Amino acid sequence: IAFFMTMTCSCGWFLAIVFGLGHNGMATYDAEARPDFWKLQVTTTRNITGGHGFPQFFVDWFCGGLQYQVDHHLFPSLPRHNLPKTHELVESFCKEWGVKYHEADLVDGTVEVLDHLNNV
């Protein structure tokens, strides 16, 4: 039972970190001011990158494809092995249209989420 409880709590904690970093502390909109679909997805989610001693291959493994949260929200049925290629296209599209495409590493993203939660 102890093993089951440890594994269940660990998995829940890791999933909470990935989902929290991808969503919390990002823009929110009133229904009347909500932008169109693609801008909404890009501005309300964040991608997670390597950095602060966490190599990109670790982030790729730890997040299981959800490190490309913005791209996943735009194309939810796209196989995760195609997300890195899509990432480059979406990032350049956002730059062309002047829409902020937000990325942060595990540490900076955690700080952003905690700052946001502290200000709520």
Side-chain angles (χ1 to χ4, degrees):
I1 290 179
F3 175 77
F4 174 77
M5 292 303 295
T6 301
M7 296 289 55
T8 301
C9 291
S10 298
C11 289
W13 176 251
F14 294 144
L15 285 172
I17 290 171
V18 172
F19 289 124
L21 285 174
H23 297 94
N24 293 335
M26 297 302 294
T28 57
Y29 299 97
D30 292 328
E32 304 82 35
R34 185 173 291 171
D36 58 15
F37 175 80
W38 78 270
K39 287 180 187 173
L40 179 69
Q41 301 311 313
V42 170
T43 59
T44 59
T45 53
R46 124 183 355 97
N47 282 356
I48 305 166
T49 63
H52 279 92
F54 293 101
Q56 188 62 45
F57 74 85
F58 173 79
V59 174
D60 293 344
W61 170 82
F62 184 74
C63 297
L66 293 177
Q67 71 275 23
Y68 297 107
Q69 194 65 232
V70 174
D71 314 285
H72 166 71
H73 274 244
L74 288 169
F75 306 103
S77 61
L78 186 73
R80 69 178 179 188
H81 68 273
N82 288 328
L83 288 171
K85 295 177 228 169
T86 306
H87 164 73
E88 295 171 14
L89 295 171
V90 172
E91 189 174 29
S92 67
F93 183 81
C94 290
K95 185 181 242 182
E96 181 181 326
W97 284 88
V99 175
K100 185 178 182 198
Y101 187 91
H102 187 62
E103 295 182 304
D105 64 40
L106 287 168
V107 174
D108 291 338
T110 301
V111 169
E112 289 174 11
V113 169
L114 293 176
D115 283 347
H116 175 75
L117 292 174
N118 188 47
N119 293 324
V120 172

